[in-house]
């Protein structure tokens, strides 16, 4: 990104003042090095978002941002329904509620070392992965609607998990306000055989070891210690979420034309929150969130089953589950008062600070866990939300490393087989459906996740707690 376009606010914060049709400024978080690595399109897209009706305070850009559909990925924006605020399908994205959850195991690296290859093989066998992969669970129309309303709660009622899991998932594992009738039959058909599947792209299931603790007191509250084995899952709402995005983007383009909403670009198609279309999209998008929560819950069950084959008495409690790619109604401080806003987080994580009422009671003192995924050969991180994040970006933080190059360019740079071999030499076992997919997701195709996390920590968007190192990675 061209730095001369930005005004420096602090070492970790930069801004583009409102100009032209922009209603609010753009605020970009990150070090100078991180921002220089962002493509110029991020500044353009964030400025376009700042022009949308009803936007409040600023259009925010997280340190892991990169070019996306309409909104930049790593973009955060809140809209006021009482000021003609809008909801944008492009501002949520196609992979609705793509997110990360991490499970504790109580194991140490020495416990899995003797069975590491067998564990990798069995995880790969039991977790359906890859483009269009199908699982063993097939839903009829009636059960599909129940899943879209119930989310992870529905999955646990079907036997895929434990009641206590719900306490460690945003919204208690069930997003209220979901409307299955607002989801097209095509979206439901695409999802009918995809429950409990990982998908492809940057989605993964990874066995990790806690490599370093940065804050002992908070790590203890989260029950994590150096040397612990944990398992992280990164995936979303699969075909259903993609189809909801596709369906509503078409409708929103027509709606914006009809209502004469001036769009800086077509991909920012949106509808007033209070309109019939806005309400229908919210109902469908919330159903997509529940689909993702149910999907990660079923994958959790499959992973627990595999671990219990090797360790019969293992329990594997859930540390936390966070969603990206959502629009949520939240209370935030505006001009000294409290206001309900519709907060879009596209490729960004909610990061409530200590004491927030929506944090589980036993984690309230720590702040909401923020789980940052790496990319096969790189570290992942655990952070917690801060009290400052509310003021800085509506309690939001980064979600991952963020791509540094396109998949097509990555394919020209690397061969999947060579990446798998080089990572194995470092003790990281990769099991993947496609070598092409491994090349597309090469670790160096992403920004340095450690730099991104450090930038988020220094900006006080979230506080760094622990580093996770990969041992086994199952890729789609």
């Amino acid at each position: 990104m061209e730095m001369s376009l930005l005004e420096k606010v602090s070492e970790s914060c930069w801004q583009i003042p409102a100009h032209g049709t922009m209603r609010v400024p753009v605020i970009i978080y990150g070090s100078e090095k991180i921002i220089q690595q962002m493509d110029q399109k991020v500044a353009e897209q964030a400025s376009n978002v700042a022009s949308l009706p009803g936007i409040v305070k600023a259009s925010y850009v997280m340190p892991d941002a990169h070019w996306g559909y309409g909104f930049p990925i790593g973009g955060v924006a809140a809209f006021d329904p009482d000021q003609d605020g809008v909801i944008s399908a492009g501002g949520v994205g196609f992979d609705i509620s793509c997110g990360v959850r991490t499970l504790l195991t109580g194991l140490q690296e020495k416990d899995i070392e003797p069975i590491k290859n067998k564990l990798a093989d069995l995880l790969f066998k039991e977790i359906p992965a890859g483009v269009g992969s199908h699982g063993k669970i097939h839903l009829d129309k009636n059960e599909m609607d129940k899943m879209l309303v119930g989310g992870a709660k529905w999955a646990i009622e079907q036997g895929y998990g434990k009641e206590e899991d719900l306490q460690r998932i945003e919204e208690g594992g069930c997003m209220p306000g979901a409307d299955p009738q607002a989801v097209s039959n095509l979206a439901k058909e695409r999802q009918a055989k995809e429950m409990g599947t990982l998908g492809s792209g940057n989605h993964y299931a990874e066995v990790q070891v806690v490599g370093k603790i940065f804050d002992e007191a908070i790590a203890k509250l989260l029950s994590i210690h150096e040397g612990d084995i944990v398992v992280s899952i990164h995936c979303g709402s699969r075909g259903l979420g993609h189809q909801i995005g596709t369906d509503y983007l078409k409708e929103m383009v027509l709606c914006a034309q009809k209502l004469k909403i001036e769009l800086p670009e077509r991909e920012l198609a949106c509808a007033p929150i209070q309109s019939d279309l806005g309400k229908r999209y919210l109902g469908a998008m919330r159903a997509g969130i529940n689909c993702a929560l149910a999907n990660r819950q079923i994958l959790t069950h499959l992973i627990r089953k595999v671990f219990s084959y090797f360790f019969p008495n293992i329990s594997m409690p859930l540390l936390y589950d966070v969603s990206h790619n959502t629009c949520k109604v939240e209370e935030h401080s505006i001009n000294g008062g409290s206001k309900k806003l519709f907060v879009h987080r596209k490729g960004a994580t909610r990061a409530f600070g200590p004491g927030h009422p929506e944090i589980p009671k036993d984690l309230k003192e720590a702040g909401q866990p923020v789980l940052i995924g790496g990319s096969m050969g790189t570290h992942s991180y655990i952070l917690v939300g801060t009290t400052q994040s509310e003021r800085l970006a509506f309690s939001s933080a980064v979600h991952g490393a963020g791509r540094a190059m396109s998949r097509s360019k990555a394919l020209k740079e690397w061969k999947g087989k060579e990446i798998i071999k080089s990572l194995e030499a470092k003790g990281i076992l990769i099991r993947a459906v496609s070598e092409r997919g491994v090349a597309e997701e090469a670790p160096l195709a992403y920004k340095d996740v450690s730099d991104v996390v450090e930038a988020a920590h220094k900006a006080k968007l979230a506080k760094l707690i622990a580093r996770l190192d990969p041992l086994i990675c199952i890729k789609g």
Side-chain angles (χ1 to χ4, degrees):
M1 184 180 293
E2 178 53 60
M3 300 299 292
S4 63
L5 298 175
L6 310 179
E7 288 184 1
K8 187 174 183 177
V9 178
S10 71
E11 290 299 322
S12 305
C13 181
W14 312 73
Q15 76 163 340
I16 302 172
H19 63 276
T21 59
M22 292 168 66
R23 300 166 192 259
V24 293
V26 170
I27 301 289
I28 305 175
Y29 291 106
S31 63
E32 189 167 343
K33 176 187 170 187
I34 286 279
I35 294 172
Q36 282 176 336
Q37 290 173 347
M38 289 180 189
D39 43 296
Q40 191 60 36
K41 190 79 175 170
V42 171
E44 184 185 321
Q45 289 192 320
S47 299
N48 289 339
V49 172
S51 304
L52 292 177
I55 188 167
V56 178
K57 287 177 76 173
S59 166
Y60 295 99
V61 175
M62 299 290 109
D64 55 340
H66 58 100
W67 175 84
Y69 187 95
F71 276 50
I73 295 168
V76 175
F79 295 86
D80 184 346
D82 298 327
Q83 299 295 323
D84 299 324
V86 294
I87 183 161
S88 166
V92 171
F94 289 92
D95 194 0
I96 295 170
S97 192
C98 173
V100 179
R101 65 167 51 188
T102 297
L103 303 164
L104 307 175
T105 69
L107 300 171
Q108 298 287 299
E109 191 170 0
K110 63 180 172 49
D111 297 321
I112 67 163
E113 195 56 42
I115 50 104
K116 194 171 165 186
N117 268 292
K118 289 180 181 175
L119 178 61
D121 291 341
L122 195 53
L123 285 169
F124 186 57
K125 181 184 173 191
E126 294 297 325
I127 299 173
V131 178
S133 55
H134 291 169
K136 293 177 182 175
I137 301 166
H138 297 173
L139 301 185
D140 61 22
K141 190 176 181 309
N142 184 44
E143 208 57 37
M144 172 70 71
D145 287 354
K146 288 181 181 176
M147 181 275 289
L148 295 177
V149 170
K153 189 168 181 286
W154 168 87
I156 289 169
E157 287 168 357
Q158 310 309 306
Y160 303 114
K162 311 168 188 177
E163 190 71 21
E164 55 263 38
D165 291 341
L166 298 175
Q167 297 168 19
R168 295 300 185 96
I169 306 173
E170 293 179 3
E171 283 80 34
C174 178
M175 185 75 193
D179 180 7
Q181 302 311 310
V183 178
S184 70
N185 288 333
L186 179 56
K188 293 176 183 177
E189 285 167 15
R190 286 184 64 178
Q191 191 61 30
K193 297 179 181 178
E194 290 192 350
M195 296 308 298
T197 64
L198 198 58
S200 58
N202 61 351
H203 296 157
Y204 60 78
E206 196 164 271
V207 180
Q208 303 157 325
V209 59
V210 179
K212 187 173 181 180
I213 296 288
F214 298 91
D215 187 312
E216 289 284 354
I218 295 180
K220 193 175 175 185
L221 287 171
L222 301 183
S223 303
I224 49 176
H225 316 86
E226 204 162 301
D228 285 354
I229 295 295
V230 299
V231 182
S232 295
I233 303 166
H234 178 216
C235 67
S237 51
R238 307 286 287 112
L240 183 124
H242 194 278
Q243 191 61 45
I244 289 172
T246 303
D247 292 339
Y248 278 91
L249 274 163
K250 289 176 187 170
E251 277 200 68
M252 285 182 175
V253 168
L254 297 175
C255 173
Q257 288 172 355
K258 186 178 174 185
L259 297 180
K260 301 190 185 313
I261 298 174
E262 290 185 20
L263 298 177
E265 65 167 306
R266 190 175 181 275
E267 292 180 356
L268 283 176
C270 55
I273 293 164
Q274 307 280 28
S275 67
D276 173 67
L277 176 55
K279 289 174 184 172
R280 278 195 292 114
Y281 174 72
L282 278 167
M285 187 267 304
R286 288 164 179 161
I289 291 176
N290 281 333
C291 178
L293 296 178
N295 194 37
R296 289 199 287 276
Q297 188 62 44
I298 295 168
L299 286 167
T300 297
H301 172 76
L302 297 176
I303 288 169
R304 283 174 172 158
K305 198 173 162 189
V306 169
F307 270 78
S308 67
Y309 175 80
F310 297 101
F311 307 99
N313 298 318
I314 199 165
S315 65
M316 300 183 72
L318 179 58
L319 169 59
Y320 207 67
D321 178 299
V322 298
S323 288
H324 326 131
N325 299 357
T326 60
C327 176
K328 294 186 176 181
V329 183
E330 296 171 5
E331 292 260 358
H332 287 283
S333 298
I334 301 294
N335 300 326
S338 182
K339 181 78 185 171
K340 276 190 179 176
L341 300 174
F342 287 68
V343 184
H344 293 62
R345 293 190 182 91
K346 183 177 182 181
T349 304
R350 196 185 75 180
F352 287 144
H356 194 283
E358 291 197 35
I359 300 175
K361 192 176 175 183
D362 54 349
L363 297 181
K364 215 172 271 292
E365 190 182 339
Q368 183 208 299
V370 174
L371 310 172
I372 307 302
S375 51
M376 289 190 291
T378 63
H379 306 306
S380 294
Y381 288 90
I382 297 174
L383 296 84
V384 291
T386 65
T387 49
Q388 297 96 325
S389 186
E390 152 77 25
R391 175 179 54 81
L392 294 171
F394 297 114
S395 299
S396 306
V398 294
H399 83 309
R403 288 199 78 92
M405 71 172 66
S406 67
R407 290 190 166 90
S408 57
K409 190 172 179 187
L411 273 177
K412 291 175 184 170
E413 292 280 336
W414 297 287
K415 301 291 180 193
K417 189 179 285 185
E418 291 168 6
I419 291 171
I420 292 170
K421 199 174 171 183
S422 67
L423 291 177
E424 189 168 353
K426 297 176 182 175
I428 304 166
L429 304 183
I430 306 295
R431 298 290 185 270
V433 173
S434 150
E435 289 180 2
R436 176 192 172 98
V438 171
E440 287 177 343
E441 299 300 317
L444 291 178
Y446 285 81
K447 298 190 192 81
D448 186 326
V449 68
S450 300
D451 286 348
V452 166
V453 166
E454 186 184 6
H457 176 78
K458 284 186 173 174
K460 300 189 186 307
L461 295 169
K463 185 175 186 181
L464 180 56
I465 305 301
R467 190 193 76 210
L468 310 178
D469 303 334
L471 297 174
I472 298 170
C473 185
I474 309 300
K475 293 289 288 183

